Each structure stands twice: as C-alpha cells, then as structure tokens.
Amino acid sequence: MKAPELPANERSRQTALDQLRILDTPPEDRFDRLTRMAARLLDAPIALISLIDRDRQWFKSCVGLGVGETPRSISFCGHAIFDRQPLVIEDALEDERFCDNPLVTGDPNIRFYVGTPLHSADGHALGTLCVIDRKPRTLSEEDRQCLRDLADCAEEQISARELAIHYRDQELEQQNESLVVLKQLADLVPGGLYQFRVYPDGRMNYPYSSKGIERMFGLTEKQAREDAAAVFAMINPDDLPTVTASIDESARRLSTWSIQFRIRGQERSWRWIEGNSTPQKLSDGSVIWHGYLEDIDDKKRALIGLQESELQLRRLFELAPSGILLVDYKTAAIIDVNAAMLKSTGYRKDEFLKLDYRQLLASSHGSLRTEVLEELRQTGYFGPLEQEVTDCNGTAYPAIIHSMLIRDSSERKLLWVLVEDISERKKIERMKNQFVSTVSHELRTPLTSITGAIGLLAGGAAGTLPPKAQHMMAIAERNARQLATLINDLLDIEKLVAGKLDINLKRQPLQPLLEQAVTINQPYGAQRKITIDLAPDIPETEVFVDGRRLLQALNNLISNAIKFSPDSGRVNLSARQKISEGKPTVTIDIEDNGQGVPEAFRDQIFQRFAQADSSDTRSQGGTGLGLAITRELVTVMGGDVGFESLPGRGATFWIRLPMANSDAP
C-alpha cells in the first residue's frame, strides 16, 4: 500500500480549509443532495464529499457508509487532490497503490473509486466528491462530466458557505453582494437550481430560479417569481396529474419530491425532465422546496426503447407455441412461465410458479440429472432430451426439452427451458407404426410363397430355363429376398418400439462375439476385396447382452462400414474399457476409411428410413433401417451407440455396453 504524500503547498492548503470552518459541522441537505445524485448517477452504493484534514479525511456528506472519517494515511482522496482531473481506480485490487489497503481488503471492500477534486475559491485543494463501488467497473466520459458538474455544484456550495460565513461576520449591507456572487455561481450550474413555494391560499411561484431554469423553460427569473402557472402549462397533459399529486403528497408529508415528467421544449417537442427537491414548512403555513431540475431526455428515451424491446420479447414469449420456463439454476425455483406451458399442463400461473420441477418431470429425470448438469457446465445448454411431463391431473405426456444457461445483471444463474409437447407427433407415429406393422405382416406370407416359387423355378424345378429367363429369375429372386429383408427389419423395428422383441440377456465373453461378427461379414467384404481386421488387444471381459441381438447390431455396423469403404479398403474392429458415469463399460469401435458422414445428415442418421441424399449412398442401396434397429437393440440391452466422423476421413461407429460384474443376474 502507498500512503498519500503531502502537497507542496500543504500549509497554505490546510489554512484555506481551516478558514472555511466546515470541519466537524453537522450534515447539510445541500451537500447530501449532491452525494445522493452522484450515487444515483453511477448506480453506486457509496458517495462522499471528503475533506482532507491534517491526519484524517472527514466526510461532510456521506451516502452508504457508516463512519464519519478515516485516517488520511489510507485514504484514496489523499491521492486525488494532487490533480484537477478525476482520479479513477477501475479495480483497486489491480492497482499497486491500493491492492492491500485495509479499505480494499476489509470493510467497505472498495473495488471501484472515482474522486473528483474540490477546490476552494482561491484554488486550494480541499478534498473530493467521490463515488465508490464494491465491484470493478469503468467510467464513461459522460459520467466524468456529470461528476465534474456535481463537483462544481459542491464547490459552489462550499464557496457559498464560505461566503455566508464571511458575510455573516461582516456588516449586513455586504450581504447583497454575496447573494449576487452566489447567484452568478448557481447560474453556471448545468440543469437548474430553484426554490418553489406554495402559499396557504394556493398561489405558487419560484422565489429563486437559476439561469438553468430559464434555459429549460424559457422563463425569466422575474416571470417565474411572479407566478409558476407558466411552468405548469408546459408540462405534458398526461404527466400533469401525477406531478401535482406528487407535490401535494410531498407538502403533506414533508418528504423528498422526486419525479420524472415531460415538458414542451424550445423546439416544441416533448423532453424528459427529472426533478429532486426537499420541502420546508415556513411559519406562515406555506411550503418551500429547494431543488434541482435536470434534462434527462437522452437517457430516458434510451430506457424507454429498452423497455419497448423487453415488451416485444414478452409478447413473443407468451405467443410461442412451445412451453417456455425461466428457472433459477441454483434453487430450481420457477420464475416465469408462458401461456403454452400453462395450456399443456392445465395449471394456473400462480399455481405453476409454486411447483417444484420434480412435480413436472417423471421419476426417470433423477437418473439424468448428473448428465444434464455436466452438459450445462461444459456447453451452457442441454438437449434435445425426450422426457415425460406431468400435467395438473397427474397424466404424463411426452415432450422434447431443451435448456440454455444464462446470467442476469446480478450474475445469478438462470435456465431458459423449452418444452415442446410431442403428444400429437407420438400419436401419428404410433398410427404409422401400426400401419407399417400391419402391411408388413400381410406382405410376409405371400412374399414367402413368391420367393419360394422363384427359387424353385431358378433351380430348374420346372425344367431348364433359357439363359435370358434364368438371368431375369436371378434378378427377381435377389429383389424378393431384399424385400423380405426390408419386411423383417420393419417388423423388428415395430417390435422394438412396442417393447415386444424377445431379448434374452445373459453374461458372456465379448471376444468370441466379435470374432463371430468378423467371420459372418468376411464374405461380404471379400466381394470388394475389403479386409476386416479385429484388433489383437480385445479386453478379456464379459458383457451382459443377448448375443444374437448384439451380433445383429454389429452386423449392421460392419456391413455399413464395408458398404461405404473404397474397394480394397480396410474395416477395423476394436474394443476398449473405460469408466462412464462411475460405472465400468466397454466400447466397441467399427472404423472405416470412406468419405465420412455428411454434416447435413448427422442429426437424423439413426432415424428410421434415413439415408444420406447423395449418389454414393443410393448406389449402395439399403433400407435405411439398419442403424435405427442397431440403436434400439443396444438401448434395450442397456447400452449406447454413436459415431465420430471427419469429412473425407472415414467414420467410427461405436457401441458402449456395461461390463458384467459379480452383482449381475
């Protein structure tokens, strides 16, 4: 920490401060108004008018701090009085002069500081008008100027006080001259200083108004002193009832008057004004306000524009067809909900906001919580995730859920959650599945007969066929068998979706299953001189699976790898152990060296009938069901399936299965 040095003119500076007779005097509203305005200007918790005494800094006015003085040796303001420019410390922890200052490391935990020097009328540095925050921040040029304006007001008030003391000690006839000087100083203040008086009979006038009032309203000091009606006539008619009501309330309670309203400016356009003043009851029953008016048109219009944008977003929020929630990330409390979510669940808004999220989600959500939180931590969002949502009657309906992690202005973590009701989609999907299943069953019997008949004819059961007929019979037999495969795949998918496919899970070693998969697919690969390599370091582990169904899944992936590999290529089959979500698993990798999975196709690659829309893929044929069946089979066996691919560098499809352990049935 660096203690402030003493200015070269310290003796004369201290003398000037002592002559003001301001140290250790009671608080004064005229100074407190300026510190309140400074705090409001920067939206900061602490604002001070600090005067630098011999071995202390004493606070003439203090907002947000519970002490009246601190040692000069640890003061920030002691550094600020060396220059006429403001001293700005954006982050005290980053400044070697203050990083270990007790006012930084302890209460009031200063991080941001701006001190605008205050000078006496003869130019001696007295102290500062300073604003303090407990968090780092920057200062705009506009804010610097506004603080300078307020500091000028403080200097004027100090000078006015000095003049008042001086002329109080002098003859009464000298007071008029001091008032003239004070008025000249007040006229230099941006905005307008004024006194506004309401008499018991209802008359109103401005006993005093600075040049700022004349610039703002176009009224001379004499006109304002005679009658305030002209000022009220310039107030926007929509704002006038609020302004008059606030004046009546302030007069009744003798409370601070603070309001924003519009007046007609010099260019006949409405401009926003902010007024702040303190009332005083006089002996004749009238009330007089001492205050300040400021033109805030630019700031107010920017704020109104922001509010209008927020209103538009609120309308979009309410009109969105999908349910939307705003949730507190830490407490899981529901902060806001849109109409679509209320409609799908049947709750009223007040009822919904009292819910715990666990009342909305099916019990399976608990098992996903760790995965969801990890994905939010790493990427800031999760989804899409299919999950059942429970309505007000306890009935569950399917939904697709997405969520994004955000932070509000106070750095509180929030979650935007999008909940899309897919009940109708599921209903249509069930109808489609039932239709496909029915058609498949109806086709299977006649197709079996047709395939058998074609096979008999091709085998010469009806005599030797001419070469041309024999060729056409071979084509018919091949297409009939492909159609039979499609129907079998359709039936498998239908059974998997309906949960009717027979699955016989049992513990068995992994390596023999992989060797069998390689053997089954070797003839298919040999047709295009493609080698299938099984890695030599397969883990000696057991998995709890249906061997026949695992082979079906592996055959789908290996045949796909062969299909999309170039002639004389290579397909590699390997396995590796890893810990996934705290449990031992084994991952089977099937790697090819083809062109990889197209970027546009990756999202739907495991969907039914999905095929990349390119000539390469279409030339290879296929039903578009193999990968969908593989995913369903692996999921039923408690595993997971996915892929990794780079364009032009092949693809690696993987199956992750839980390892069998001593606790497995």
Side-chain angles (χ1 to χ4, degrees):
M1 184 192 78
K2 181 178 180 181
E5 299 176 357
L6 297 179
N9 64 340
E10 175 63 13
R11 180 175 295 179
S12 60
R13 187 201 69 80
Q14 186 67 48
T15 299
L17 179 61
D18 292 339
Q19 288 175 348
L20 289 174
R21 286 183 271 176
I22 193 173
L23 294 172
D24 299 312
T25 57
E28 295 181 58
D29 287 342
R30 55 180 170 173
F31 293 105
D32 292 342
R33 283 194 292 270
L34 296 175
T35 51
R36 288 197 299 270
M37 284 190 282
R40 280 199 299 269
L41 172 68
L42 294 189
D43 192 21
I46 300 172
L48 310 167
I49 292 178
S50 172
L51 301 175
I52 304 301
D53 199 7
R54 291 170 178 80
D55 56 357
R56 62 174 179 161
Q57 59 173 354
W58 177 80
F59 306 137
K60 174 60 181 173
S61 179
C62 176
V63 172
L65 200 61
V67 297
E69 64 183 52
T70 59
R72 181 174 179 176
S73 60
I74 62 172
S75 70
F76 283 55
C77 299
H79 294 270
I81 62 173
F82 282 83
D83 196 349
R84 285 192 170 270
Q85 297 301 317
L87 172 63
V88 181
I89 309 298
E90 295 183 347
D91 189 344
L93 290 178
E94 301 295 329
D95 194 311
E96 62 181 5
R97 295 171 294 177
F98 307 107
C99 60
D100 56 349
N101 190 300
L103 299 178
V104 175
T105 58
D107 192 65
N109 304 113
I110 298 174
R111 295 292 297 277
F112 168 81
Y113 169 89
V114 53
T116 304
L118 301 176
H119 293 83
S120 64
D122 56 358
H124 286 95
L126 305 175
T128 70
L129 169 66
C130 67
V131 179
I132 293 169
D133 206 338
R134 296 183 176 93
K135 58 185 179 183
R137 55 190 293 179
T138 58
L139 193 69
S140 69
E141 188 59 37
E142 181 182 0
D143 289 338
R144 288 174 184 258
Q145 185 57 52
C146 290
L147 286 176
R148 182 65 264 172
D149 292 341
L150 290 175
D152 290 344
C153 292
E155 289 182 350
E156 290 163 5
Q157 293 300 327
I158 292 173
S159 298
R161 191 180 189 285
E162 179 182 11
L163 290 171
I165 292 173
H166 174 73
Y167 288 113
R168 189 170 60 242
D169 294 341
Q170 303 299 320
E171 297 294 331
L172 184 62
E173 63 267 15
Q174 296 178 343
Q175 291 182 359
N176 288 334
E177 182 180 352
S178 68
L179 291 174
V180 171
V181 173
L182 178 60
K183 184 179 184 307
Q184 291 173 341
L185 292 172
D187 287 342
L188 296 175
V189 176
L193 298 172
Y194 68 92
Q195 288 179 316
F196 172 68
R197 186 171 183 177
V198 176
Y199 294 86
D201 60 3
R203 288 184 300 114
M204 299 179 293
N205 74 337
Y206 288 87
Y208 168 77
S209 59
S210 68
K211 283 292 183 183
I213 299 295
E214 182 175 344
R215 291 191 295 267
M216 201 175 297
F217 292 91
L219 297 175
T220 64
E221 182 180 358
K222 180 180 178 182
Q223 290 172 319
R225 187 165 55 248
E226 290 174 352
D227 192 357
V231 172
F232 282 79
M234 299 178 66
I235 298 176
N236 187 295
D238 294 336
D239 299 340
L240 184 58
T242 304
V243 173
T244 54
S246 66
I247 293 173
D248 293 341
E249 178 71 8
S250 178
R252 184 176 64 84
R253 302 178 60 182
L254 292 180
S255 57
T256 299
W257 181 74
S258 180
I259 194 172
Q260 296 178 354
F261 58 95
R262 291 165 289 179
I263 64 168
R264 190 175 295 281
Q266 300 291 340
E267 299 177 356
R268 311 301 296 169
S269 60
W270 296 114
R271 297 190 65 80
W272 282 95
I273 299 296
E274 182 175 36
N276 294 279
S277 61
T278 302
Q280 176 186 357
K281 190 85 169 183
L282 300 182
S283 58
D284 65 352
S286 61
V287 179
I288 188 169
W289 284 263
H290 312 275
Y292 179 80
L293 288 174
E294 179 186 6
D295 187 327
I296 60 165
D297 193 66
D298 291 340
K299 292 181 180 179
K300 185 67 176 181
R301 292 189 185 280
L303 178 61
I304 292 173
L306 178 61
Q307 292 171 341
E308 289 176 349
S309 297
E310 291 177 348
L311 179 60
Q312 296 296 334
L313 290 175
R314 165 57 64 174
R315 289 170 179 165
L316 289 174
F317 175 75
E318 291 297 343
L319 291 174
S322 297
I324 304 176
L325 306 176
L326 183 61
V327 180
D328 188 297
Y329 177 82
K330 184 176 181 180
T331 66
I334 300 172
I335 300 170
D336 204 353
V337 59
N338 73 339
M341 192 68 197
L342 296 176
K343 181 179 179 181
S344 64
T345 57
Y347 288 102
R348 298 194 311 270
K349 186 169 185 177
D350 60 327
E351 294 174 334
F352 198 98
L353 295 180
K354 296 176 183 177
L355 294 176
D356 186 285
Y357 77 96
R358 287 179 286 264
Q359 296 173 259
L360 292 172
L361 301 178
S363 57
S364 60
H365 176 77
S367 61
L368 296 171
R369 186 173 184 274
T370 302
E371 180 181 341
V372 167
L373 291 176
E374 180 63 20
E375 189 171 350
L376 282 172
R377 187 186 66 80
Q378 291 184 358
T379 66
Y381 58 87
F382 80 82
L385 174 70
E386 185 172 334
Q387 174 72 33
E388 286 196 338
V389 177
T390 305
D391 65 16
C392 64
N393 298 317
T395 304
Y397 66 87
I400 297 294
I401 300 179
H402 306 252
S403 184
M404 175 177 288
L405 180 63
I406 62 169
R407 284 178 170 82
D408 64 9
S409 58
S410 62
E411 290 299 306
R412 180 176 58 156
K413 290 184 178 181
L414 304 174
L415 286 176
W416 278 117
V417 183
L418 180 65
V419 182
E420 180 185 0
D421 185 344
I422 58 171
S423 300
E424 284 301 316
R425 187 193 307 175
K426 287 288 187 180
K427 181 179 178 181
I428 294 171
E429 188 175 326
R430 284 194 300 271
M431 293 172 61
K432 181 181 69 175
N433 290 338
Q434 290 170 1
F435 173 77
V436 170
S437 175
T438 301
V439 171
S440 300
H441 279 288
E442 292 298 326
L443 287 176
R444 174 180 265 181
T445 300
L447 182 60
T448 301
S449 298
I450 292 170
T451 304
I454 292 173
L456 289 173
L457 290 174
T464 303
L465 298 175
K468 187 173 182 179
Q470 183 71 35
H471 175 67
M472 296 190 69
M473 279 295 175
I475 294 174
E477 183 179 23
R478 182 170 64 251
N479 289 336
R481 293 189 184 283
Q482 185 173 355
L483 184 56
T485 300
L486 171 59
I487 292 173
N488 289 333
D489 285 348
L490 286 171
L491 291 174
D492 278 352
I493 275 289
E494 189 272 334
K495 290 179 181 178
L496 281 165
V497 171
K500 298 178 181 178
L501 190 68
D502 291 334
I503 299 292
N504 182 22
L505 299 177
K506 62 181 181 179
R507 182 198 300 267
Q508 47 195 305
L510 175 64
Q511 183 161 348
L513 292 172
L514 299 185
E515 291 172 349
Q516 189 176 351
V518 171
T519 301
I520 292 171
N521 287 277
Q522 285 288 12
Y524 180 40
Q527 294 175 13
R528 295 177 45 224
K529 300 181 180 179
I530 294 175
T531 303
I532 306 175
D533 280 343
L534 179 62
D537 54 349
I538 300 299
E540 294 182 2
T541 184
E542 292 183 332
V543 288
F544 196 67
V545 296
D546 183 321
R548 184 167 64 90
R549 295 303 181 183
L550 179 58
L551 282 175
Q552 184 180 353
L554 289 172
N555 289 341
N556 284 334
L557 296 183
I558 295 173
S559 62
N560 261 7
I562 294 171
K563 184 190 303 182
F564 292 101
S565 291
D567 290 345
S568 303
R570 183 179 299 275
V571 173
N572 296 315
L573 188 64
S574 60
R576 51 196 165 89
Q577 290 177 300
K578 64 178 296 186
I579 300 298
S580 179
E581 298 182 4
K583 298 179 180 179
T585 62
V586 61
T587 300
I588 304 166
D589 293 320
I590 297 93
E591 178 187 7
D592 65 56
N593 56 355
Q595 291 301 310
V597 180
E599 189 71 33
F601 180 58
R602 298 186 178 195
D603 291 341
Q604 64 262 29
I605 192 169
F606 288 106
Q607 295 177 6
R608 280 170 275 177
F609 303 105
Q611 290 184 322
D613 189 16
S614 68
S615 59
D616 287 342
T617 303
R618 293 298 184 189
S619 67
Q620 301 297 340
T623 66
L625 290 171
L627 290 178
I629 291 173
T630 297
R631 182 182 64 175
E632 297 293 342
L633 287 173
V634 173
T635 302
V636 169
M637 292 187 288
D640 195 10
V641 63
F643 72 95
E644 298 169 0
S645 178
L646 293 174
R649 299 178 61 181
T652 299
F653 282 78
W654 50 263
I655 294 174
R656 183 184 300 123
L657 296 168
M659 292 169 53
N661 53 55
S662 58
D663 298 328

